[in-house]
Amino acid sequence: MFVSQYGTDGFGHQLFGMMSLIACIDISYVSFPHNGKFEHLSKEESVMCKFFINNFLNNIFGDFENISNKKKIIMPRRKNNLCLKSFQFEKDIIYVFDNCWSTDNIGYYIKNFAFDKYITNSLNNLLTTNTNFDTNKCNVVVHIRGGDGKDRISGSLKNDYLILLNNIIKKMSFQHKNIIFHIHSNSPINNMFISENIISKYNSDIIQSFSEMIFADVLIAGDSSLSLVAPYFNKNKLVIVPNKTTCFTGNDRNAHPLLYYNNCITFNNFINGNININDYL
């Protein structure tokens, strides 16, 4: 049973979908070069993201396969989320999906694949040079979904969500005096997030945002596949996710990191529970 990935969404969505198909058991992933097409990105960002994905695939599989003589079927949009237990494969056909988030326990398989092992060589150089951290502090990266997702329940225009997020920042600042917050968003960052320990990074390029999400001591994720895939690189000490998201609900819920990481909790867990950031550092 052969699969590959073709996505038409943003970088985080495509990468997360690709990782799910690679990690899925009992199928073989066929690696071929990415076409460099992403939604929401500038031309320069698309070039960087294409470089990331192609080098990531090379680190996992080696050289790309020659598939010019193999039959490929690109699954239509409403059928491109693979559920392994119900899909009927035919021999010697490469089925090209967007993701397999509907497959039972897919987040478990993604976690156990240990994708962090493949952030090596040029990829590691790319990510670490784009991470602007003070290593003497606890670095907390916050992702606020803006752009086309600004009106989501956990988006940049939702005041209740922003107030809850600000309360988390205040609680962490009280618990840990040597802490700094890096807030990433592709929409203007609300004025309530102004403090000497907050760095606002409005419209920073996507590789810098993604790099800092991966390497953050603490990641406060947004309603975005870009920040919800970051925990699967197994480097964050604590991950806090919104109480409700548009991403990874319904048939996609099997990919949500909240189900698979003991160090992943919700906003309400942190605000209302007896949780101290220092216990995770």
Side-chain angles (χ1 to χ4, degrees):
M1 298 187 293
F2 300 99
V3 300
S4 195
Q5 197 265 357
Y6 172 77
T8 57
D9 210 308
F11 169 66
H13 179 107
Q14 292 190 44
L15 179 63
F16 207 159
M18 182 178 292
M19 289 166 61
S20 69
L21 288 160
I22 291 170
C24 194
I25 59 171
D26 299 327
I27 57 177
S28 297
Y29 188 91
V30 179
S31 172
F32 59 88
H34 195 277
N35 60 13
K37 295 181 179 179
F38 304 93
E39 293 181 358
H40 320 306
L41 300 186
S42 68
K43 182 178 179 179
E44 293 76 14
E45 288 178 314
S46 294
V47 170
M48 288 191 293
C49 290
K50 178 182 178 180
F51 174 88
F52 180 97
I53 285 181
N54 285 338
N55 280 271
F56 190 49
L57 290 171
N58 289 156
N59 287 348
I60 298 170
F61 297 106
D63 293 337
F64 293 117
E65 297 187 38
N66 184 356
I67 60 172
S68 58
N69 296 322
K70 296 183 179 180
K71 183 177 180 180
K72 303 182 291 295
I73 297 177
I74 298 177
M75 303 302 294
R77 190 171 184 87
R78 294 187 180 277
K79 297 181 179 180
N80 63 1
N81 183 343
L82 170 63
C83 180
L84 192 58
K85 68 181 179 182
S86 61
F87 188 79
Q88 298 297 314
F89 286 88
E90 293 185 24
K91 187 178 180 181
D92 298 328
I93 296 176
I94 301 172
Y95 292 91
V96 184
F97 291 91
D98 180 82
N99 64 78
C100 61
W101 298 330
S102 290
T103 293
D104 291 344
N105 298 313
I106 189 59
Y108 172 82
Y109 299 119
I110 300 172
K111 178 184 178 184
N112 283 358
F113 197 89
F115 281 100
D116 53 296
K117 293 186 301 185
Y118 304 101
I119 301 295
T120 58
N121 304 324
S122 58
L123 276 194
N124 187 64
N125 293 338
L126 175 68
L127 293 179
T128 54
T129 56
N130 277 280
T131 303
N132 186 19
F133 287 161
D134 182 342
T135 56
N136 294 315
K137 295 181 180 293
C138 172
N139 290 277
V140 180
V141 171
V142 182
H143 186 214
I144 301 176
R145 179 62 186 262
D148 66 336
K150 62 182 181 295
D151 289 313
R152 293 182 177 183
I153 192 169
S154 300
S156 62
L157 293 183
K158 298 300 182 179
N159 203 50
D160 289 347
Y161 161 76
L162 296 178
I163 290 172
L164 190 57
L165 175 58
N166 198 35
N167 288 338
I168 290 174
I169 290 173
K170 290 178 179 178
K171 182 175 179 179
M172 284 188 180
S173 299
F174 177 79
Q175 292 176 342
H176 196 295
K177 301 306 180 185
N178 195 27
I179 194 168
I180 190 164
F181 298 88
H182 309 257
I183 300 182
H184 289 267
S185 182
N186 56 343
S187 284
I189 297 170
N190 193 287
N191 287 335
M192 74 172 69
F193 301 106
I194 296 177
S195 173
E196 61 182 13
N197 66 348
I198 292 177
I199 301 174
S200 293
K201 298 182 176 180
Y202 165 53
N203 258 355
S204 57
D205 74 65
I206 193 166
I207 291 298
Q208 182 188 15
S209 297
F210 189 52
S211 301
E212 295 197 352
M213 291 174 197
I214 290 176
F215 289 105
D217 297 310
V218 178
L219 172 63
I220 304 178
D223 189 0
S224 165
S225 52
L226 183 69
S227 54
L228 289 173
V229 71
Y232 284 107
F233 289 93
N234 300 312
K235 297 184 182 299
N236 308 123
K237 297 173 182 175
L238 174 63
V239 178
I240 304 177
V241 299
N243 298 321
K244 294 182 179 180
T245 61
T246 303
C247 295
F248 307 110
T249 57
N251 290 337
D252 297 343
R253 65 188 179 277
N254 294 311
H256 202 300
L258 187 64
L259 301 177
Y260 307 101
Y261 283 90
N262 292 331
N263 66 334
C264 186
I265 61 175
T266 66
F267 280 26
N268 279 349
N269 289 150
F270 186 79
I271 288 293
N272 300 323
N274 186 24
I275 294 175
N276 192 307
I277 185 177
N278 297 293
D279 294 334
Y280 293 86
L281 301 177

